Amino acid sequence: MTSSDSQTVAPETPAVESKVMTYLEAISEGLCDEMRRDPDVLLMGNDIGGDFGGAFKVTTGFSEEFGDRRVMNMPMTELGFIGAASGMALFGLRPVVEVQFADFISTGFDSIVQYAATTHYRWQAPVPWVIRAPSDGGIRSGPFHSQNNEAWFVHTPGLKVVAPSTPVDAKGLLLTAIRDDNPVIFFESKPLYRSLRDVVPAGDCAVPLGRARIARPGRDISVITYGATVHQAVAAAVELAAEGIDVEVIDLRSLKPLDTDAVLASVTKTGRALVTHAANRLGGVGAEIAAVIVEEAFEWLDAPVARLGGLDIPVPSSPPLEDAYRPDAGKIAASIRRLVAF
Amino acid sequence: MTSSDSQTVAPETPAVESKVMTYLEAISEGLCDEMRRDPDVLLMGNDIGGDFGGAFKVTTGFSEEFGDRRVMNMPMTELGFIGAASGMALFGLRPVVEVQFADFISTGFDSIVQYAATTHYRWQAPVPWVIRAPSDGGIRSGPFHSQNNEAWFVHTPGLKVVAPSTPVDAKGLLLTAIRDDNPVIFFESKPLYRSLRDVVPAGDCAVPLGRARIARPGRDISVITYGATVHQAVAAAVELAAEGIDVEVIDLRSLKPLDTDAVLASVTKTGRALVTHAANRLGGVGAEIAAVIVEEAFEWLDAPVARLGGLDIPVPSSPPLEDAYRPDAGKIAASIRRLVAF
Amino acid sequence: MASQLTNGRRRELHYWMRLTRTLDDRIIKLWQQGRGVGATFNQRGHEAISVGAGAALGPSDVVAPMHRDLGCYLLRGMTPERLLANQLGRATSVTRGRDGNLHGCGDLDLNIIGFISHLPHSLPVTVGAAMSFTYRNEPRVAMTFVGDGSSNTGLFHESLNLAAVHNAPFVLIVENNQYAYSTPLSQQMVIDDIAVRGRAHGVRAEIVDGNDLEAVYEVTYDAVERARSGGGPTMIECKTMRMLGHAIHDGAGYVPPDLLADWAKRDPIDRFEATLLAGGLATQEELDQVADRCRREVAAAVEYAEGSEWPDPATILDGVYAE
Amino acid sequence: MASQLTNGRRRELHYWMRLTRTLDDRIIKLWQQGRGVGATFNQRGHEAISVGAGAALGPSDVVAPMHRDLGCYLLRGMTPERLLANQLGRATSVTRGRDGNLHGCGDLDLNIIGFISHLPHSLPVTVGAAMSFTYRNEPRVAMTFVGDGSSNTGLFHESLNLAAVHNAPFVLIVENNQYAYSTPLSQQMVIDDIAVRGRAHGVRAEIVDGNDLEAVYEVTYDAVERARSGGGPTMIECKTMRMLGHAIHDGAGYVPPDLLADWAKRDPIDRFEATLLAGGLATQEELDQVADRCRREVAAAVEYAEGSEWPDPATILDGVYAE
Ligand SMILES: Cc1ncc(C[n+]2csc(CCOP(=O)(O)OP(=O)(O)O)c2C)c(N)n1
Ligand SMILES: Cc1ncc(C[n+]2csc(CCOP(=O)(O)OP(=O)(O)O)c2C)c(N)n1
Ligand SMILES: [Mg+2]
Ligand SMILES: [Mg+2]
């Protein structure tokens, strides 16, 4: 910004205070700020409009402020309306699509992986949309309302994939995702929606895509993770500190692009790595990270790279089964103890 | 078979001779044999019927022998007709679906990953179908007729995934896939269809799912691969033998279930591993294999586990770009040399 | 056309509707008391459709009910015990705790196909089931239910077209209840009748009052028997109203109260009971006895389900694959 | 209705049809000579549709042609040079060798949206483009083309419904050429006219002779102008015949010769030339001159494309993402 700019241009967002809010409220604020700032941003999805404001109430009040023109309830046709979002994006709009649950993103699969993901490489036309996908489980919602299907998209060239674990990142990464000129899939964590609160900066607090964050520094072992599992890892780290094990927790934040530099910096420091996420371990994003570590940091490794993830089964509904399915602080701590004892 | 059976029951398939045939002919023979043996086997797909016999002519003559009742041309509606195949399978039929190119399997994605894959776990009803998916490139067919999208399905619980590399396996694994009581995705290799010939046993030569094959034994390094890349790896091995490097090539054959025992047996023997496939390396099946190796065989490793795969881009059409995109014998040999020199 | 229903059968269907209502009300109470697990879908208003259409099938026919068809599960022989155990995630449930609420409540022994959340995947699957009957020359019919929301999906159209091309013995019941979750018809489509969407594929399409049990039964019965005798698929649009929220947590504040008040007058059970009383087919005392019986059965089911054990985590990997 | 076409414009459209045919014939020859790369789609029979419908758009309108719409690309300003270079995978092509044949031939400067193989994904995308025009109050229209095969897909229905609900300034041209690859209409659907599928969503639907350039132009022009003035979407079913195989390698032995012979009499270019001659709008000599001009332009394009360099593998990672 030049000095003359700074004299004449008023800040676009009113200077409100930072405040404590939930992960969900942070997303809501990010969306709202960005819609106020940029008239090309609009929302599409099932049940997001009117008084209802979406299955999780992220867009409560949005219809009233922005009108139905910018907050569009869609018929239950993910394939078609994600395709339409691509068309809008080609002509300069920035649609933010809510799929009601991340599980339903598979219904729009072709519009994402075949159309939007390939367009820029093929004929240089940008497709700047964001799909917001409420993902993850732990809330007894069974095989179709608990999925973590980010691996499908990380494997697909042309997409970006984001998975914030804190209110600050939820807002900050969402702002960046909306401003990005590429199709971005934004995995929100349902279990964090209302359970996690933090101080979130007011106004523009954009966080760059592709930069991991050290959620907790440590020297003995690196736990690489993202989403709700970050908090399980930190809880495990706290528990293990009492046992004299100093755990570093890396929160990836963005899965594509993946911040391999940050991962390698941590692992070359600690010499040990556990990769963990709630998604199916088999063929999950953790496999890529483990493979990168062994390729790039082989000589620094003092122990095998371990992975802890969901089991290779549909996410079961019943509480004892779902608990057995998912990684948690206890399982993470146990894996860490094994690795440290190696 | 009891002795009384052997006296009274004529063999169901006439005792024909083994003969030399292409990879494509072997698939065709497997399909035909199985349809003759089991009246519950039927075919569905685009353009597979009539005189036409499919985009690749795998089902040439099938309509004539089996009738349109068993060789069903479908409207271009992969999502719907794969769903219908699940319904047929629930009621005891064994549909074998041809998607015209593996690339179009994404159009039927929900019917595969959400419906068929989860049904047995949820309410114990088997869904015995096979989807035949002509995959892979090297034939200048561009981003939508060259895909290798097996990783999406390997990550999905409840499916089986097969990828034969030889005519014998193409027939043998297809027979097993059709007889399996689960949904199986059968990735055929387009570049091998007419370029690869071998003696294929007549009659029942079923090959079990989940057992890898040593395509070439060796002592210095393990190359773990599948599909057309097996032949590139073997060619690299032959080239490197002259340099005194003895390469073992493991052909996985089945990607889900994955024969990790065979992989680990090889790697613990050689101490070095290269994992390679034509699919996008990032988040590909090779990541899972590399991760398993480092988890389970860490102490046997004398070098990093390397991966060689397609680049993280849509498969480009133009010959020089497609060649740069794909692994081949030369690139495999170069990777092996680097690993052996480690 | 003369009704196909005997008086005895009428009383049976009344029982199934009442049992559905009683069980549904009880489930709502359980959830309000914090005794539920996960989500649960409301049934009120849909009883005449799920019971009336379901009853038109023969025992060897196949049905894939959806999330508003508790009545259909019940009358096809899935007990309140098993259904409630599924809602509560118990080992004794249909899915052994793998799937929740009405999801996955399939049982091939009862010729019931379970559903998945992704709507409307039971539709192509049921068309495939119908095609398998043709393939084997079996005189069976397959039927499924979808909502107005599902009629917008591509899968709806691909499936109906496939049924038409293969002249499948297939019946589709469209439960047009004015809303898909919070989204009213006016934001879903501009057509007046979903029935035109069947005709777009050459599928015979009928429209019926979905709160009139006998009307639903009759039009479905004709469609089923037509399908059985080679007459091909039929789609039946049942006009009704979802009288409560989409699911337990949804207060449905977005529905105009007048609309609900209007439809409340047409409650399918009240209406059918009035017919039974007026026609001398039942006395109020008999109706009260049915209500009592339903309450007892539901109470027993609650006891059973809540008394059932949780699934053993050691079994978590069982059954992903058929062996 | 009186024709919207001036005589000058008629001669222009004749030129575009002739150029399309000439380029298509030349491409076929190149492939027969082994000078092609990958596959290529045949155009013969579709010229009146791709040119007639494409010409009804204004310059700020947007179009997403499909694989039978070479004529539309040409008249929208995509040169034979760039198109041929794409068919041959050269660095100078629209996609710089990333995509092949007509795939991916989009160019926002020309208001052309490129297509993908998965059919019919240009359809929802074009509906979205149309919705963006409404959003911004721009008096623009978006149009796309699909085949009969695509009219079976779920995406076709989801997209048309969306266009209807949003009253989008959108026009859909259905090129009903009797076949989807080898599959005849009778194995795809039981309806007589695909137009009913538009009406199933409340979209106005017209049927026109797809081999009659002026008829296609006029009905499309009306639809475009109706859309522009807020009258909402229209679908136009153009009945035609694919006169060659699906793509270069397909001999189309499955098409009854009589059917082809029948349609050959209705060749869109022959027919239009006869009209021009009969109406005194062109002499045979003038038509020959057009043919000559087209041959020269196509020859130059072949020379350009074959003379163009291959893409440099060092650039292979460029452009996956917009920066
Ligand atoms: C593909 C898909 N997208 C979104 C959802 C989330 N969802 C669950 S029920 C529902 C509304 C369904 O409406 P309708 O088909 O009319 O049935 P109703 O619930 O009204 O009986 C939605 C959007 C879903 N189940 N499937
Ligand atoms: C989703 C999908 N499945 C399969 C194909 C393979 N395929 C390419 S063109 C075609 C036929 C298309 O027929 P139609 O829509 O009538 O267009 P036409 O080629 O006749 O002009 C098929 C099946 C495809 N492109 N997309
Ligand atoms: Mg509804
Ligand atoms: Mg066609």
Side-chain angles (χ1 to χ4, degrees), chain B residues 50-52 57, chain D residues 179 181-182 242 244-246 249-258 260:
Chain B
D51 294 341
F52 192 64
K57 309 290 178 199
Chain D
Y179 283 84
Y181 206 159
S182 77
R242 196 193 71 206
L244 296 169
H246 171 66
H249 60 276
D250 173 23
Y254 48 80
V255 178
D258 286 0
L260 285 172

mmCIF file of all heavy atoms in Angstrom, chain B residues 50-52 57, chain D residues 179 181-182 242 244-246 249-258 260:
data_model
loop_
_atom_site.group_PDB
_atom_site.id
_atom_site.type_symbol
_atom_site.label_atom_id
_atom_site.label_comp_id
_atom_site.label_asym_id
_atom_site.label_seq_id
_atom_site.Cartn_x
_atom_site.Cartn_y
_atom_site.Cartn_z
ATOM 1 N N GLY B 50 -24.758 -56.100 -29.293
ATOM 2 C CA GLY B 50 -24.924 -56.125 -30.747
ATOM 3 C C GLY B 50 -23.662 -56.589 -31.458
ATOM 4 O O GLY B 50 -22.851 -57.336 -30.922
ATOM 5 N N ASP B 51 -23.533 -56.157 -32.702
ATOM 6 C CA ASP B 51 -22.325 -56.485 -33.465
ATOM 7 C C ASP B 51 -21.130 -55.714 -32.953
ATOM 8 O O ASP B 51 -19.993 -56.041 -33.270
ATOM 9 C CB ASP B 51 -22.498 -56.044 -34.937
ATOM 10 C CG ASP B 51 -23.578 -56.846 -35.620
ATOM 11 O OD1 ASP B 51 -23.918 -57.934 -35.100
ATOM 12 O OD2 ASP B 51 -24.074 -56.377 -36.669
ATOM 13 N N PHE B 52 -21.430 -54.662 -32.194
ATOM 14 C CA PHE B 52 -20.361 -53.717 -31.896
ATOM 15 C C PHE B 52 -19.362 -54.293 -30.897
ATOM 16 O O PHE B 52 -18.149 -54.239 -31.102
ATOM 17 C CB PHE B 52 -20.966 -52.409 -31.365
ATOM 18 C CG PHE B 52 -19.987 -51.288 -31.303
ATOM 19 C CD1 PHE B 52 -19.421 -50.786 -32.469
ATOM 20 C CD2 PHE B 52 -19.615 -50.731 -30.097
ATOM 21 C CE1 PHE B 52 -18.496 -49.741 -32.418
ATOM 22 C CE2 PHE B 52 -18.696 -49.694 -30.032
ATOM 23 C CZ PHE B 52 -18.135 -49.202 -31.200
ATOM 24 N N LYS B 57 -13.961 -53.831 -28.037
ATOM 25 C CA LYS B 57 -14.313 -55.102 -28.681
ATOM 26 C C LYS B 57 -14.094 -56.306 -27.769
ATOM 27 O O LYS B 57 -13.897 -57.426 -28.248
ATOM 28 C CB LYS B 57 -13.507 -55.291 -29.985
ATOM 29 C CG LYS B 57 -13.563 -54.101 -30.940
ATOM 30 C CD LYS B 57 -14.943 -53.959 -31.545
ATOM 31 C CE LYS B 57 -15.020 -52.735 -32.459
ATOM 32 N NZ LYS B 57 -16.409 -52.330 -32.684
ATOM 33 N N TYR D 179 -28.232 -41.801 -32.411
ATOM 34 C CA TYR D 179 -27.306 -42.748 -31.788
ATOM 35 C C TYR D 179 -26.482 -42.074 -30.701
ATOM 36 O O TYR D 179 -26.139 -40.897 -30.821
ATOM 37 C CB TYR D 179 -26.319 -43.319 -32.830
ATOM 38 C CG TYR D 179 -26.943 -44.380 -33.695
ATOM 39 C CD1 TYR D 179 -27.682 -44.031 -34.810
ATOM 40 C CD2 TYR D 179 -26.822 -45.736 -33.361
ATOM 41 C CE1 TYR D 179 -28.287 -45.007 -35.591
ATOM 42 C CE2 TYR D 179 -27.427 -46.711 -34.132
ATOM 43 C CZ TYR D 179 -28.157 -46.339 -35.251
ATOM 44 O OH TYR D 179 -28.757 -47.306 -36.004
ATOM 45 N N TYR D 181 -22.944 -43.155 -29.661
ATOM 46 C CA TYR D 181 -21.934 -44.121 -30.105
ATOM 47 C C TYR D 181 -22.655 -45.216 -30.907
ATOM 48 O O TYR D 181 -23.304 -44.892 -31.926
ATOM 49 C CB TYR D 181 -21.151 -44.656 -28.903
ATOM 50 C CG TYR D 181 -19.732 -45.148 -29.204
ATOM 51 C CD1 TYR D 181 -18.784 -45.233 -28.186
ATOM 52 C CD2 TYR D 181 -19.351 -45.547 -30.482
ATOM 53 C CE1 TYR D 181 -17.485 -45.687 -28.427
ATOM 54 C CE2 TYR D 181 -18.051 -46.005 -30.728
ATOM 55 C CZ TYR D 181 -17.131 -46.086 -29.694
ATOM 56 O OH TYR D 181 -15.850 -46.539 -29.940
ATOM 57 N N SER D 182 -22.640 -46.466 -30.454
ATOM 58 C CA SER D 182 -23.313 -47.518 -31.240
ATOM 59 C C SER D 182 -24.745 -47.767 -30.795
ATOM 60 O O SER D 182 -25.419 -48.645 -31.343
ATOM 61 C CB SER D 182 -22.536 -48.829 -31.095
ATOM 62 O OG SER D 182 -22.813 -49.429 -29.839
ATOM 63 N N ARG D 242 -26.220 -38.670 -37.356
ATOM 64 C CA ARG D 242 -24.754 -38.699 -37.433
ATOM 65 C C ARG D 242 -24.400 -39.519 -38.664
ATOM 66 O O ARG D 242 -24.704 -40.714 -38.720
ATOM 67 C CB ARG D 242 -24.205 -39.363 -36.161
ATOM 68 C CG ARG D 242 -22.735 -39.145 -35.901
ATOM 69 C CD ARG D 242 -22.236 -40.095 -34.810
ATOM 70 N NE ARG D 242 -22.196 -41.454 -35.316
ATOM 71 C CZ ARG D 242 -22.297 -42.545 -34.563
ATOM 72 N NH1 ARG D 242 -22.479 -42.458 -33.250
ATOM 73 N NH2 ARG D 242 -22.256 -43.738 -35.105
ATOM 74 N N LEU D 244 -21.468 -40.284 -40.119
ATOM 75 C CA LEU D 244 -20.274 -41.151 -40.132
ATOM 76 C C LEU D 244 -20.200 -41.854 -38.774
ATOM 77 O O LEU D 244 -21.145 -41.803 -37.992
ATOM 78 C CB LEU D 244 -19.023 -40.298 -40.380
ATOM 79 C CG LEU D 244 -18.969 -39.606 -41.749
ATOM 80 C CD1 LEU D 244 -17.834 -38.582 -41.791
ATOM 81 C CD2 LEU D 244 -18.792 -40.635 -42.867
ATOM 82 N N GLY D 245 -19.085 -42.491 -38.516
ATOM 83 C CA GLY D 245 -18.938 -43.168 -37.219
ATOM 84 C C GLY D 245 -18.871 -42.155 -36.089
ATOM 85 O O GLY D 245 -18.776 -40.947 -36.301
ATOM 86 N N HIS D 246 -18.905 -42.692 -34.874
ATOM 87 C CA HIS D 246 -18.823 -41.848 -33.688
ATOM 88 C C HIS D 246 -17.523 -41.049 -33.696
ATOM 89 O O HIS D 246 -17.503 -39.850 -33.436
ATOM 90 C CB HIS D 246 -18.879 -42.747 -32.454
ATOM 91 C CG HIS D 246 -18.591 -42.057 -31.167
ATOM 92 N ND1 HIS D 246 -19.414 -41.090 -30.649
ATOM 93 C CD2 HIS D 246 -17.557 -42.178 -30.294
ATOM 94 C CE1 HIS D 246 -18.898 -40.648 -29.509
ATOM 95 N NE2 HIS D 246 -17.774 -41.286 -29.274
ATOM 96 N N HIS D 249 -12.159 -43.955 -35.663
ATOM 97 C CA HIS D 249 -11.893 -45.399 -35.748
ATOM 98 C C HIS D 249 -13.155 -46.210 -35.927
ATOM 99 O O HIS D 249 -13.106 -47.416 -36.046
ATOM 100 C CB HIS D 249 -11.224 -45.842 -34.447
ATOM 101 C CG HIS D 249 -12.128 -45.559 -33.289
ATOM 102 N ND1 HIS D 249 -12.175 -44.319 -32.672
ATOM 103 C CD2 HIS D 249 -13.084 -46.304 -32.701
ATOM 104 C CE1 HIS D 249 -13.109 -44.337 -31.731
ATOM 105 N NE2 HIS D 249 -13.669 -45.519 -31.731
ATOM 106 N N ASP D 250 -14.322 -45.578 -35.894
ATOM 107 C CA ASP D 250 -15.592 -46.296 -35.849
ATOM 108 C C ASP D 250 -16.240 -46.344 -37.229
ATOM 109 O O ASP D 250 -16.689 -45.324 -37.748
ATOM 110 C CB ASP D 250 -16.522 -45.607 -34.829
ATOM 111 C CG ASP D 250 -17.936 -46.181 -34.840
ATOM 112 O OD1 ASP D 250 -18.102 -47.333 -35.277
ATOM 113 O OD2 ASP D 250 -18.859 -45.459 -34.419
ATOM 114 N N GLY D 251 -16.317 -47.545 -37.799
ATOM 115 C CA GLY D 251 -16.917 -47.708 -39.122
ATOM 116 C C GLY D 251 -18.431 -47.622 -39.106
ATOM 117 O O GLY D 251 -19.067 -47.543 -40.151
ATOM 118 N N ALA D 252 -19.027 -47.658 -37.901
ATOM 119 C CA ALA D 252 -20.484 -47.521 -37.757
ATOM 120 C C ALA D 252 -21.242 -48.570 -38.554
ATOM 121 O O ALA D 252 -22.317 -48.301 -39.110
ATOM 122 C CB ALA D 252 -20.929 -46.104 -38.117
ATOM 123 N N GLY D 253 -20.697 -49.765 -38.598
ATOM 124 C CA GLY D 253 -21.377 -50.870 -39.295
ATOM 125 C C GLY D 253 -22.728 -51.199 -38.678
ATOM 126 O O GLY D 253 -23.547 -51.877 -39.291
ATOM 127 N N TYR D 254 -22.954 -50.704 -37.476
ATOM 128 C CA TYR D 254 -24.208 -50.989 -36.773
ATOM 129 C C TYR D 254 -25.376 -50.120 -37.235
ATOM 130 O O TYR D 254 -26.512 -50.339 -36.843
ATOM 131 C CB TYR D 254 -24.004 -50.811 -35.254
ATOM 132 C CG TYR D 254 -23.295 -49.514 -34.908
ATOM 133 C CD1 TYR D 254 -23.976 -48.308 -34.863
ATOM 134 C CD2 TYR D 254 -21.914 -49.485 -34.692
ATOM 135 C CE1 TYR D 254 -23.329 -47.114 -34.599
ATOM 136 C CE2 TYR D 254 -21.252 -48.304 -34.423
ATOM 137 C CZ TYR D 254 -21.963 -47.117 -34.377
ATOM 138 O OH TYR D 254 -21.313 -45.944 -34.135
ATOM 139 N N VAL D 255 -25.081 -49.118 -38.066
ATOM 140 C CA VAL D 255 -26.173 -48.254 -38.551
ATOM 141 C C VAL D 255 -26.752 -48.857 -39.837
ATOM 142 O O VAL D 255 -26.006 -49.128 -40.775
ATOM 143 C CB VAL D 255 -25.668 -46.825 -38.837
ATOM 144 C CG1 VAL D 255 -26.804 -45.950 -39.382
ATOM 145 C CG2 VAL D 255 -25.064 -46.210 -37.587
ATOM 146 N N PRO D 256 -28.067 -49.051 -39.895
ATOM 147 C CA PRO D 256 -28.665 -49.602 -41.114
ATOM 148 C C PRO D 256 -28.387 -48.678 -42.309
ATOM 149 O O PRO D 256 -28.648 -47.471 -42.220
ATOM 150 C CB PRO D 256 -30.164 -49.635 -40.809
ATOM 151 C CG PRO D 256 -30.289 -49.509 -39.328
ATOM 152 C CD PRO D 256 -29.058 -48.791 -38.846
ATOM 153 N N PRO D 257 -27.864 -49.238 -43.394
ATOM 154 C CA PRO D 257 -27.523 -48.409 -44.571
ATOM 155 C C PRO D 257 -28.709 -47.603 -45.086
ATOM 156 O O PRO D 257 -28.536 -46.454 -45.512
ATOM 157 C CB PRO D 257 -27.070 -49.437 -45.604
ATOM 158 C CG PRO D 257 -26.682 -50.658 -44.826
ATOM 159 C CD PRO D 257 -27.513 -50.656 -43.587
ATOM 160 N N ASP D 258 -29.895 -48.170 -45.016
ATOM 161 C CA ASP D 258 -31.084 -47.448 -45.498
ATOM 162 C C ASP D 258 -31.296 -46.139 -44.751
ATOM 163 O O ASP D 258 -31.691 -45.127 -45.325
ATOM 164 C CB ASP D 258 -32.353 -48.291 -45.274
ATOM 165 C CG ASP D 258 -32.420 -49.429 -46.251
ATOM 166 O OD1 ASP D 258 -31.480 -49.546 -47.082
ATOM 167 O OD2 ASP D 258 -33.379 -50.215 -46.169
ATOM 168 N N LEU D 260 -29.069 -44.324 -43.319
ATOM 169 C CA LEU D 260 -28.080 -43.344 -43.779
ATOM 170 C C LEU D 260 -28.461 -42.794 -45.154
ATOM 171 O O LEU D 260 -28.359 -41.587 -45.408
ATOM 172 C CB LEU D 260 -26.692 -43.978 -43.836
ATOM 173 C CG LEU D 260 -26.024 -44.180 -42.480
ATOM 174 C CD1 LEU D 260 -24.741 -45.010 -42.657
ATOM 175 C CD2 LEU D 260 -25.705 -42.839 -41.829
#
